[in-house]
Amino acid sequence: SILQVQTEDSVLLFVVAWTITEIIRYSFYTFSLLNHLPYLIKWARYTLFIVLYPMGVSGELLTIYAALPFVRQSGLYSISLPNKYNFSFDYYTFLILVMISYIPIFPQLYFHMLHQRRKVL
C-alpha cells in the first residue's frame, strides 16, 4: 500500500536532503536581500549540494521505484479507455519515464551547479 512507501528509508533520504537544501537556499536569499551575506552561508549554498543533490535524487528515485508495484496493482491516477474524453493515461508508465528522464537531466543540472560553484567561490 501507499503507507508502506511512505515508511521507506528513501523518503527520509530525500526529505532530509531537500530540507537542508531549502534552509540553506532561503538563508542565502534572505541574507542577500539584507546585503549581509555571511561567507559560511555562501559556502554552504555552493558546496553542500555536492552531497545533498545526489542524496535527494537517490531518495526520490528509490521512493518512486518502491511505489511502482502499488501504482501498477491499484491503477493509481491512471485513466482507462473508453471514457467520454477519449483519453487514457498510465501513471505507472509515466513514473518510469520520469525515472528515465533523470539520466540526461541530473548530470546537466549537477555540472551546472559545479560550474556556478567555481564561478562564485
Side-chain angles (χ1 to χ4, degrees):
S1 78
I2 199 71
L3 291 176
Q4 289 171 323
V5 174
Q6 292 174 348
T7 60
E8 291 285 324
D9 291 339
S10 58
V11 172
L12 183 61
L13 194 64
F14 79 77
V15 168
V16 167
W18 295 152
T19 299
I20 293 169
T21 300
E22 293 304 314
I23 290 168
I24 294 166
R25 184 162 65 119
Y26 284 104
S27 297
F28 177 87
Y29 291 154
T30 301
F31 283 112
S32 293
L33 286 171
L34 298 172
N35 292 318
H36 181 70
L37 179 60
Y39 183 78
L40 181 63
I41 300 290
K42 185 178 184 179
W43 177 88
R45 168 95 165 113
Y46 291 100
T47 303
L48 294 182
F49 81 90
I50 294 169
V51 173
L52 294 173
Y53 196 23
M55 187 173 132
V57 167
S58 297
E60 287 178 4
L61 289 171
L62 290 167
T63 302
I64 294 169
Y65 183 77
L68 285 175
F70 171 76
V71 170
R72 179 176 235 174
Q73 183 251 337
S74 69
L76 183 71
Y77 303 130
S78 295
I79 302 169
S80 301
L81 285 172
N83 59 56
K84 66 181 179 178
Y85 302 109
N86 198 28
F87 171 82
S88 69
F89 175 74
D90 184 25
Y91 188 54
Y92 177 83
T93 303
F94 173 77
L95 289 176
I96 291 171
L97 292 173
V98 167
M99 291 174 71
I100 291 168
S101 75
Y102 276 74
I103 296 168
I105 294 171
F106 173 77
Q108 284 184 331
L109 295 175
Y110 193 75
F111 287 121
H112 171 73
M113 284 301 295
L114 284 174
H115 176 74
Q116 291 297 103
R117 183 178 191 276
R118 280 191 297 273
K119 194 165 74 173
V120 172
L121 297 181

